[in-house]
Amino acid sequence: MKIFLDTANVEKIRKAASMGLCDGVTTNPSIIMKEGRDHKAVIKEISSIIDGPVSVEGVGTTAEEMVKDAREFAKWGKNIVAKVPMTPEGLRAVKILSKEGIRTNVTLVFSANQGLLAAKAGASYISPFVGRLDDISQDGMELIADLTQILDNYGYEAEIIVASVRHPVHVMLSAKLGAHIATLPPDVFEKLFSHPLTDKGIKQFEEDYKKAQQSQAKK
Ligand code: E4P
């Protein structure tokens, strides 16, 4: 499974990339706002750090506005993907942009039927939001299972990006279900490394190493 980072924080992206663990980046207007930086400047910097897709979202509501934004975003880097919302206008924009060779990520997907329509319209990526579904007492991962099966049934090229990930269990289940990609907020990404028994084991080996050295020194 590919791992994307759901952030515009360039230090965190660089760190994950240095371990070969950042296959792409997703952003949205809220994520950009958190960094307090110019939208274009931060996206250009991210796009120069990683080779993988970098999703960029505008706020247009008509297909014409979304297409105009996407054409502009596409100038910011070779790996830019235009995010469009899951609306009839959004899918009209997907159709136009796919003909122009601009990749799209259909976002705010909350049902399998929405995902099916996005795939049919020619989306490159589809982003179902699991955490926001969990928040309203619907099982977000069930949507991933349904959508994975539907895309497989018909061989659609669109890749699923599991979005709105809130904890490591979402990541593990995404991989078990065969989702193509999960996009992780940095705090969830960092949690994937940790296990208390790993920390305990390292500490114990360190202590035993020191004890062994001290007893050798006494001989
Ligand atoms: C990514 O593409 C989404 O915009 C993001 O994962 C949404 O996450 P949230 O539901 O935590 O805002």
Side-chain angles (χ1 to χ4, degrees):
M1 183 174 73
K2 283 176 263 188
I3 292 179
F4 287 9
L5 284 192
D6 201 20
T7 184
N9 184 295
V10 290
E11 282 80 37
K12 291 187 172 157
I13 292 167
R14 272 185 216 285
K15 195 171 165 200
S18 73
M19 292 180 273
L21 293 176
C22 182
D23 301 304
V25 167
T26 50
T27 66
N28 61 35
S30 313
I31 285 171
I32 297 291
M33 184 197 65
K34 269 194 215 158
E35 295 308 309
R37 293 184 54 189
D38 174 65
H39 194 185
K40 183 174 174 177
V42 73
I43 294 294
K44 282 182 108 170
E45 189 173 347
I46 294 168
S47 154
S48 72
I49 299 169
I50 60 155
D51 292 330
V54 177
S55 285
V56 186
E57 188 166 353
V59 287
T61 51
T62 65
E64 288 68 29
E65 286 165 345
M66 292 177 210
V67 167
K68 188 168 171 255
D69 279 349
R71 286 180 184 144
E72 172 60 23
F73 298 152
K75 292 181 197 153
W76 298 355
K78 274 189 260 170
N79 47 355
I80 300 297
V81 173
K83 254 181 162 183
V84 300
M86 177 53 227
T87 59
E89 285 297 292
L91 296 194
R92 213 154 65 76
V94 165
K95 182 102 184 114
I96 298 167
L97 292 167
S98 70
K99 278 196 193 140
E100 294 181 17
I102 296 177
R103 288 182 297 166
T104 53
N105 173 358
V106 175
T107 188
L108 292 163
V109 168
F110 293 97
S111 78
N113 284 334
Q114 288 181 321
L116 173 63
L117 295 183
K120 277 186 77 67
S124 319
Y125 301 96
I126 301 172
S127 292
F129 278 34
V130 295
R132 293 193 196 187
L133 277 172
D134 289 355
D135 288 346
I136 59 156
S137 305
Q138 277 186 37
D139 184 357
M141 295 315 297
E142 215 173 280
L143 171 57
I144 304 305
D146 290 343
L147 203 47
T148 307
Q149 187 187 336
I150 289 166
L151 296 195
D152 277 359
N153 283 350
Y154 298 99
Y156 286 118
E157 282 177 14
E159 290 187 74
I160 295 174
I161 305 180
V162 180
S164 189
V165 165
R166 298 279 161 82
H167 49 69
V169 178
H170 278 152
V171 183
M172 185 270 292
L173 290 175
S174 300
K176 271 182 84 172
L177 291 168
H180 306 97
I181 303 154
T183 188
L184 315 187
D187 68 309
V188 175
F189 175 70
E190 280 150 25
K191 283 180 191 161
L192 301 185
F193 290 83
S194 311
H195 195 287
L197 291 180
T198 306
D199 299 341
K200 191 180 168 198
I202 290 171
K203 200 163 169 258
Q204 189 185 340
F205 288 151
E206 246 175 40
E207 284 167 6
D208 290 346
Y209 176 82
K210 278 183 200 151
K211 278 184 204 157
Q213 285 213 317
Q214 280 161 4
S215 86
Q216 286 300 314
K218 281 182 196 153
K219 282 183 186 165

